[in-house]
């Protein structure tokens, strides 16, 4: 869990936290060690806006919000480990964010270049996209937003593209939707970016030029480089001669550190730069000119008199290419990519579609970028022993103007160059908050480490994170950046596995009843709506109103405060309402579930009646012989209900995390307990065991009620499996070994056979045993399945529930239609 501290919980928070808490409590009852932490993604623009609008410092505003939200979360009885609490705005945390940034920089995975930003000319500041209204104006000043190039810091996301793409294949099915989104976002890895130095007037420029090519092996045949009109190098100051025409020579030349060749650069609007994005802009803004393999490049070389050489012979082998001579193109490509990596000018096989990650933000309330600018040495990293680079204190009036508020802290900006000792100045950009939240889950495992972000040996048993719960909207933000960072940690031998998360629950939204005026489309509060003659209208004007279900938000006037539900109905009912009836992955229409209240009351009455009856039985009251008629059948039915409930609840909590389905099973057991003759229940061990198991199984979802009822139950129980300790100390119920636990055979995901057996038999079963059973009981089916090519065969024990033999086979091809004979055609015509 890692919320932004906005100050108030909403129902979406409650839904996520109660689910994670129910699953954490379930695992603890199973005897598992569980880390269920909580922290705060505490940097961000809202705190800075508060400084401007309310004259309150960002750290004070953030701290007040954290304390408020923490109190609200604790009121939900969530079992978070508060000793592991972290917040990204604490120097003890962002010291290590800066450390990771410097490690990335050491590996040439961080760089600075010019990039286009949204510029407010009145406030003289950079705006995020969400700070611009539909008319393209600044939310604060009202000025028309301009596009402007600024020097920004980037993380080389492209360097990880191939690894991130291939890693998606190995994720469980929980990730299918997210994997599809990320796969599309990354694109096909079909080439490499190669970086060139740039020169003008025979002097090296600060800027570099990275050009994508799917044929890096032909680099020795380069005659020129084309850039698109969208390139940041498209400036009139760089034109060689007057502007005009679609091809303009530039004063700039590009120098390859691989071949040492220097070639001219052209602004060329005639070149096809490849695929376009959703805004109809090409993903790439440059292209290599290699005349010996491209006709258009050949024509351009002829027009401008550009020299070039042939680099691929008729036999497909390289020539005029130095160390590549004589190699076939595939081998030459491998050698060239390795050489580019060695010289740190590219070489990673990547996608032309994926952009590097711009992590610069011209804001105050973020992690300072630990880089120093020196006129003599250039841009150099801050030494590790000077971390953290701590944010200076600013006053509210210092947040008003300028491209970065940190420039107002003159004493903080001034520093000494760590290389030459001369005067220098600090970087005044701060990091994108997604950098902070890309590794928080690792810090949870080692929150007090003052030597490293985390100890690799200490975190080893805990990674990857067993379960991540969140919305699919995180697919291209947090989940992507978290994977990126974990793959970097993997490269650095800081973790032994590259993926950060194992299982994933995609949470649906919480929606509220939403009312809008039919004429104006304006949102209306629920209390301002009434029904007249069966039609919804506003109370004030009588205008017609449309009712829909939409995601809860203040702007839609459909939000409900979780605290108001807790105050009126209690914490257990609030939790149960968010957990029951609807699967976690589905959208929930929030309503007060009266059925949940009735069920809670039924469970309460069962325990009260049992306690009272047990006390009466202790005074000599016994059941009549008549009530004992058919006792064995009643006990058998209750035993079956208890075993079935334990089996199914355990499975739903473990495999699909569908707590709602588990609650339904517990409600079935409640009905079975109610059917048992009340005069037999006080001294009946089967009844006592079923009731005790039910109380343990409701503890994850309604912990307060379960604790209270267990206290009453345990005072009179005589079952050897239960103790007088609180319910939190009990063990999760087990299915009887002799209870049936089937062997299910699935073919391409569909159940094809079901073989009954006991739990004892199932747990001893091997794959060979399972195949033998299927062959003997379903010989004809097995012959049909095995006649098809078997792609894979997996055997898995779902403890306490079933054993699965899963076959994946090639689907039989449909027979092709045979052409009609002449006789058939004639008969068809006659008919």
């Amino acid at each position: 869990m890692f919320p932004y501290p906005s100050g108030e919980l909403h129902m979406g928070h409650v839904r996520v936290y109660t689910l994670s808490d129910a699953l954490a409590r379930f695992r603890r009852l199973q005897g598992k060690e569980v880390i269920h932490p909580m922290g705060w993604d505490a940097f961000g623009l809202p705190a800075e806006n508060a400084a401007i609008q309310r004259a309150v410092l960002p750290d004070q505003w953030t701290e007040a919000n954290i304390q408020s939200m923490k109190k609200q979360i604790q009121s939900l009885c969530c079992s978070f480990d508060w000793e592991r609490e972290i917040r990204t705005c604490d120097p003890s945390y962002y010291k290590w964010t800066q450390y990771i940034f410097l490690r990335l920089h050491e590996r040439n995975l961080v760089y600075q270049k010019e990039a286009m930003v949204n510029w407010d000319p009145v406030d003289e500041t950079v705006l995020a996209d969400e700070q611009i209204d539909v008319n393209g104006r600044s939310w604060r000043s009202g000025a028309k937003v301009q596009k402007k190039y600024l020097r920004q810091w980037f993380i080389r996301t492209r360097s990880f593209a191939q690894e991130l793409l291939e890693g998606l294949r190995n994720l469980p099915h929980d990730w299918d939707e997210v994997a599809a989104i990320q796969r599309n976002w990354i694109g096909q890895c079909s080439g490499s970016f190669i970086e060139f130095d740039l020169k003008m007037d025979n002097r090296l420029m600060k800027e570099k030029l990275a050009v994508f090519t799917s044929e890096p092996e032909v680099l020795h045949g380069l005659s020129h480089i084309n850039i698109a009109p969208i390139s940041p190098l498209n400036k009139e100051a760089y034109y060689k001669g007057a502007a005009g025409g679609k091809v303009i020579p530039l004063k700039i030349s590009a120098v390859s550190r691989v071949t040492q060749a220097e070639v001219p650069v052209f602004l060329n609007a005639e070149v096809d730069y490849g695929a376009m994005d959703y805004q109809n802009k090409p993903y790439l803004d440059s292209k290599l000119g290699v005349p010996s393999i491209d006709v258009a490049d050949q024509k351009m070389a002829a027009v401008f008199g550009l020299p070039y050489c042939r680099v691929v012979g008729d036999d497909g082998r390289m020539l005029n290419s130095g160390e590549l001579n004589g190699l076939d193109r595939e081998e030459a490509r491998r050698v060239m990519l390795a050489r580019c990596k060695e010289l740190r000018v590219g070489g990673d096989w990547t996608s032309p579609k994926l952009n590097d990650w711009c992590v610069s933000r011209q804001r105050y309330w973020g992690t300072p970028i630990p880089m120093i600018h020196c006129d003599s040495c250039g841009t150099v990293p801050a030494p590790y022993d000077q971390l953290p680079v701590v944010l200076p204190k600013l006053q509210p009036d210092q947040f008003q103007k300028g491209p970065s508020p940190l420039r107002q802290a003159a004493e903080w900006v001034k520093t000494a160059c760590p290389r030459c000792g001369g005067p220098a100045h600090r970087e005044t950009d701060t990091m994108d908050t997604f950098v902070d939240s890309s590794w928080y889950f690792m810090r949870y495992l080692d929150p007090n480490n003052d030597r490293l972000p985390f100890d690799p040996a200490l975190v080893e048993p805990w990674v990857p994170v067993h379960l991540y719960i969140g919305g699919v909207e995180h697919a291209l933000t947090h989940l992507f950046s978290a994977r990126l960072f974990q793959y970097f940690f993997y490269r650095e031998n800081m973790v032994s596995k590259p993926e950060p998360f194992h299982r994933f629950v995609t949470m649906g939204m919480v929606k509220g009843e939403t009312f809008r005026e039919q004429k104006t489309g304006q949102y209306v509060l629920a209390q301002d709506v009434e029904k007249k003659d069966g039609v919804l209208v506003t109370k004030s004007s009588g205008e017609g109103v449309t009712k829909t279900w939409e995601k809860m938000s203040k702007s839609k006037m459909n939000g409900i405060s979780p605290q108001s539900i807790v105050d009126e109905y209690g914490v257990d009912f609030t939790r149960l309402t968010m957990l029951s009836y609807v699967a976690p992955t589905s959208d929930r229409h929030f309503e007060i579930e009266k059925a949940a209240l009735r069920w809670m009351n039924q469970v309460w009455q069962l325990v009260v009646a049992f306690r009272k009856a047990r006390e009466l039985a202790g005074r000599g009251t016994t059941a009549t012989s008549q009530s004992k008629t058919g006792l064995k059948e009643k006990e058998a039915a209750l035993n079956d209900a208890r075993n079935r409930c334990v089996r199914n609840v355990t499975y739903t909590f473990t495999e699909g995390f569908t707590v709602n389905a588990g609650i339904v099973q517990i409600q079935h057991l409640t009905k079975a307990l109610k059917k048992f003759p009340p005069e037999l229940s006080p001294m009946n061990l089967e009844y006592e065991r079923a009731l005790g198991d039910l109380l343990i199984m409701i503890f994850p979802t309604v912990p307060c009620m379960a604790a209270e009822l267990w206290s009453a139950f345990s005072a009179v129980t005589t079952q050897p499996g239960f103790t007088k300790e609180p319910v939190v100390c009990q063990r999760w119920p087990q299915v009887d070994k002799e209870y049936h636990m089937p062997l299910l055979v699935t073919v391409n995901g569909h159940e094809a056979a079901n073989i009954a057996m006991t739990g004892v038999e199932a747990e001893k079963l091997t794959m060979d045993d399972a195949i033998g059973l299927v062959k003997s009981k379903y010989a004809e089916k097995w012959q049909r399945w095995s006649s098809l090519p078997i792609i894979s065969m997996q055997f898995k024990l779902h403890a306490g529930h079933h054993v699965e033999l899963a076959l994946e086979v090639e689907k039989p091809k449909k027979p092709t239609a045979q052409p009609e004979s002449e006789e058939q055609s004639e008969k068809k015509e006659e008919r």
Side-chain angles (χ1 to χ4, degrees), residues 188-206:
Q188 184 180 357
C189 293
S190 57
S192 177
F193 283 89
I194 298 177
E195 190 174 87
F196 292 81
D197 294 325
L198 295 177
K199 290 174 74 173
M200 189 169 73
D201 299 331
N202 221 25
R203 292 182 180 178
L204 282 174
M205 301 169 64
K206 282 186 178 180

Side-chain angles (χ1 to χ4, degrees), residues 45-60:
L45 200 55
E48 203 162 326
N49 291 340
I52 296 166
Q53 296 163 5
R54 307 176 193 178
V56 58
L57 294 176
D59 56 341
Q60 295 172 354

Side-chain angles (χ1 to χ4, degrees), residues 362-427:
Q362 290 71 33
R363 313 305 315 172
Y364 166 76
W365 194 235
T367 297
I369 294 177
M371 303 298 289
I372 295 169
H373 303 282
C374 171
D375 289 340
S376 301
C377 304
T379 301
V380 296
Y384 285 103
D385 60 9
Q386 290 183 15
L387 301 182
V389 177
V390 179
L391 278 172
K393 293 288 185 182
L394 295 183
Q395 295 306 310
D397 61 356
Q398 292 180 291
F399 292 94
Q400 294 294 332
K401 295 274 185 179
S404 174
L406 281 175
R407 294 186 184 181
Q408 305 289 325
E411 292 304 311
W412 180 85
V413 172
K414 292 177 185 176
T415 189
C417 174
R419 284 189 186 166
C420 69
H425 64 275
R426 296 190 186 280
E427 174 61 60

Side-chain angles (χ1 to χ4, degrees), residues 565-566 568-581 590-598 600 701-702 705:
I565 307 300
V566 172
E568 185 171 354
Y569 295 98
V571 62
D572 282 327
F573 174 77
T574 305
R575 291 168 60 103
L576 190 61
T577 296
M578 300 310 291
L579 291 170
S580 57
Y581 305 113
F590 183 81
E591 294 179 293
I592 301 300
E593 298 286 0
K594 297 294 185 181
L597 273 177
R598 288 193 295 272
M600 290 172 68
T701 53
V702 286
M705 186 177 87

Side-chain angles (χ1 to χ4, degrees), residues 480-527:
F480 185 84
S481 58
R483 293 187 68 229
L484 173 72
F485 267 52
Q486 199 77 349
Y487 271 80
F488 173 66
F489 296 153
Y490 181 68
R491 284 189 186 180
E492 297 291 294
N493 295 315
M494 296 167 71
V495 295
S496 63
K497 303 175 188 72
E499 289 294 338
F501 311 113
H502 178 50
R503 300 295 304 276
F504 176 48
V505 175
T506 309
M507 292 297 290
M509 291 186 293
V510 180
K511 295 183 175 181
E513 275 190 317
T514 310
F515 300 93
R516 300 180 77 171
E517 286 190 2
Q518 292 173 353
K519 282 188 176 180
T520 64
Q522 290 183 330
Y523 290 100
V524 183
L525 289 168
Q527 58 261 37

Side-chain angles (χ1 to χ4, degrees), residues 6 11 23 77 128 154 173 178 218 271 365 380 430 555 601 744 760 776 799 805:
S6 60
M11 284 299 184
L23 296 172
C77 294
F154 289 82
H173 287 305
V178 170
V218 301
V271 169
W365 194 235
V380 296
T430 54
S555 62
N601 185 57
L744 298 183
V760 174
S776 64
L805 181 65

